[in-house]
């Protein structure tokens, strides 16, 4: 009997050790590395990475870069994409995504004169134009600011965040087959900014002489194309809605709003990405940090460093690697009373996802 008792103890200890090892294997990543640096001519915006590992990047127009979309080669060299003339001719581009069909989508913001933006799809396999969809009135207002996007090729749809003026922030639901555009969740608590200051380097960030209050901006979609995650930049809540509900035109505005779920806490943030375990990675711009909202709704900080001065956009690459840009945006003229006080810390960083993460969305 005594030997049986000891055997049971040994089994218990073994199981406990296995459990500890399992938990350790899923500990949040604490290391990241810089893979590319850029000079003042190439201020990073957002990233898109193909299944072959090609890196594409929008440049942030707050610094006035000439070329709006570039490809970053493995050696760090930057070339305008798809051509120099095409890239320079675009209105500002922020959102950029490579979808599961290897199409690079560029979200061109609305011009102050034309009052129209565009979704431009470029087929990376054929190196040809795939499709252009116009985003214009009445679906976008005069103060439209088309910011980011999530692509769902399973349902042939794209979900776009229009930060607009804050009080009228909304999502756009775009049908890729017909080009039809719908504006949803406008002015709801899920898209409006909260009344909180953005404080970076002990300074309240302002735009147009007023403290910034920025509505819905970060957006992403899971690899199964079931859930779309989003939230206000100036907000402490992360929300999600099913693609089924967002695509259901029979739902009234009130009915759709009731379908939105609060997923968890988040800091003031610019970009998000989700892995296959439901962990939503977040660029925490006021903390020089990368964090994560877990499926239980709790937010944890993964790492913080002075080199992460305004971490901006995410992209998931091959082998479950997550990439993000850093661009010191609070030091740009637009957010610093017309003066550029950047320190030249423009870069792309990389770290490993906690769970499996799929390319192309």
């Amino acid at each position: 009997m005594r030997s049986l008792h000891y055997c049971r103890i040994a089994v218990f200890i073994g199981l406990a050790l296995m459990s500890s090892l399992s938990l350790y294997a899923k500990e949040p990543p604490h290391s990241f590395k810089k893979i590319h640096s850029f000079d003042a001519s190439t201020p990073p915006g957002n990233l898109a990475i193909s299944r072959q590992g090609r890196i594409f990047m929008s440049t942030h127009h707050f610094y006035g870069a000439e070329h709006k979309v570039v490809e970053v080669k493995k050696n760090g060299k930057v070339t305008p994409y798809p051509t120099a003339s095409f890239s320079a001719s675009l209105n500002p581009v922020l959102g950029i995504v490579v979808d599961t069909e290897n199409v690079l989508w560029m979200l061109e913001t609305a011009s102050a004169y034309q009052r129209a933006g565009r979704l431009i799809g470029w087929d990376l396999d054929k190196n040809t134009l795939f499709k252009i969809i116009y985003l214009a009135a009445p679906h976008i207002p005069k103060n439209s600011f088309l910011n980011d996007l999530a692509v769902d090729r399973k349902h042939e749809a794209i979900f776009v965040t229009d930060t607009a003026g804050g009080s009228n922030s909304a999502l756009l639901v775009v049908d890729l087959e017909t080009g039809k555009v719908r504006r949803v969740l406008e002015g709801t608590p899920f898209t409006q900014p909260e009344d909180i200051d953005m404080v970076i380097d002990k300074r309240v960030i302002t735009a147009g002489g007023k403290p910034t209050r920025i509505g819905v901006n970060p957006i992403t979609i899971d690899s199964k194309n079931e859930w779309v995650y989003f939230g206000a930049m100036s907000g402490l809540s992360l929300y999600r809605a099913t693609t089924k509900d967002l695509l259901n035109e029979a739902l009234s505005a009130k009915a759709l709003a009731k379908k939105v779920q609060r997923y968890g806490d988040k800091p003031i943030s610019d970009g998000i990405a989700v892995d296959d375990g439901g962990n939503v990675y977040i660029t925490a711009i006021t903390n020089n940090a990368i964090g994560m909202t877990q499926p239980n709704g709790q937010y944890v900080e993964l790492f913080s460093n002075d080199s992460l001065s305004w971490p901006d956009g995410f992209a998931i690459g091959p082998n479950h690697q997550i990439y993000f840009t850093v661009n010191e945006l609070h030091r740009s003229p637009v957010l610093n009373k017309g003066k550029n006080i950047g320190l030249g810390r423009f870069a792309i960083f990389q770290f490993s996802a906690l769970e499996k993460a799929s390319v192309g969305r």
Side-chain angles (χ1 to χ4, degrees), residues 32-34 287-289 303-311 324-328 331 344-349:
F32 62 97
K33 63 179 180 180
K34 183 188 293 186
N287 300 322
N288 295 347
F303 38 79
S304 178
N305 190 281
D306 287 344
S307 64
L308 307 184
S309 183
W310 196 298
F324 63 95
T325 55
V326 167
N327 58 20
E328 301 182 274
R331 297 180 178 135
R345 296 177 178 176
F346 295 159
I348 297 176
F349 290 85

Side-chain angles (χ1 to χ4, degrees), residues 29-337:
H30 294 282
S31 63
F32 62 97
K33 63 179 180 180
K34 183 188 293 186
I35 61 169
H36 295 299
S37 297
F38 308 100
D39 61 23
S41 68
T42 313
N46 289 315
L47 288 173
I49 302 179
S50 74
R51 54 178 176 254
Q52 293 85 10
R54 295 174 68 184
I55 298 177
F56 303 91
M57 185 175 75
S58 60
T59 59
H60 211 295
H61 61 287
F62 281 12
Y63 289 100
E66 176 185 4
H67 294 105
K68 314 307 189 300
V69 176
V70 299
E71 181 173 3
V72 183
K73 303 293 187 178
K74 290 182 179 180
N75 62 4
K77 182 179 179 181
V78 173
T79 58
Y81 195 84
T83 66
S85 58
F86 188 100
S87 182
S89 71
L90 296 170
N91 285 334
V93 172
L94 286 179
I96 183 169
V97 169
V98 176
D99 69 23
T100 54
E101 303 302 316
N102 222 27
V103 173
L104 173 67
W105 290 97
M106 299 166 270
L107 176 61
E108 188 186 44
T109 62
S111 153
Y113 305 101
Q114 298 171 331
R115 201 181 156 193
R118 294 186 297 177
L119 281 167
I120 303 169
W122 193 269
D123 190 318
L124 297 179
D125 293 328
K126 299 178 181 177
N127 195 29
T128 58
L129 182 66
F130 174 71
K131 182 172 287 191
I132 294 179
I133 296 176
Y134 286 85
L135 306 174
H139 306 297
I140 64 172
K142 291 182 179 179
N143 61 357
S144 173
F145 189 83
L146 302 174
N147 213 314
D148 207 351
L149 73 161
V151 183
D152 175 3
R153 291 306 300 270
K154 178 180 178 180
H155 301 106
E156 290 297 301
I158 293 182
F159 306 96
V160 175
T161 54
D162 185 359
T163 302
S167 61
N168 61 341
S169 296
L171 300 185
L172 301 180
V173 180
V174 183
D175 187 317
L176 280 179
E177 294 180 342
T178 66
K180 183 177 180 179
V181 180
R182 292 186 299 119
R183 190 176 185 86
V184 301
L185 300 175
E186 179 177 277
T188 63
F190 320 117
T191 56
Q192 286 184 319
E194 297 177 31
D195 190 20
I196 51 177
D197 286 338
M198 183 184 297
V199 181
I200 305 177
D201 297 339
K202 300 180 180 180
R203 174 172 69 91
V204 175
I205 307 304
T206 61
K210 298 180 180 180
T212 55
R213 297 288 187 272
I214 301 175
V216 67
N217 174 356
I219 189 169
T220 192
I221 190 170
D222 67 14
S223 62
K224 295 181 179 179
N225 297 291
E226 292 177 350
W227 291 96
V228 176
Y229 299 80
F230 55 91
M233 174 186 280
S234 301
L236 303 180
S237 293
L238 178 67
Y239 300 100
R240 71 175 185 173
T242 65
T243 52
K244 179 181 177 181
D245 289 331
L246 290 171
L247 295 171
N248 186 354
E249 297 186 39
L251 287 177
S252 67
K254 289 184 179 180
L256 177 59
K258 289 181 180 179
K259 298 285 188 178
V260 178
Q261 299 179 6
R262 186 182 189 276
Y263 193 66
D265 301 327
K266 78 169 188 66
I268 294 175
S269 55
D270 205 339
I272 58 176
V274 61
D275 67 22
D276 291 355
N279 302 299
V280 181
Y281 303 92
I282 295 175
T283 55
I285 58 180
T286 57
N287 300 322
N288 295 347
I290 299 297
M292 177 179 70
T293 301
Q294 303 169 104
N296 63 7
Q298 294 183 348
Y299 173 80
V300 295
E301 187 174 282
L302 300 180
F303 38 79
S304 178
N305 190 281
D306 287 344
S307 64
L308 307 184
S309 183
W310 196 298
D312 197 322
F314 282 117
I316 297 175
N319 302 316
H320 320 303
Q321 297 300 296
I322 297 183
Y323 300 73
F324 63 95
T325 55
V326 167
N327 58 20
E328 301 182 274
L329 205 60
H330 58 294
R331 297 180 178 135
S332 71
V334 174
L335 298 179
N336 190 56
K337 301 179 181 179

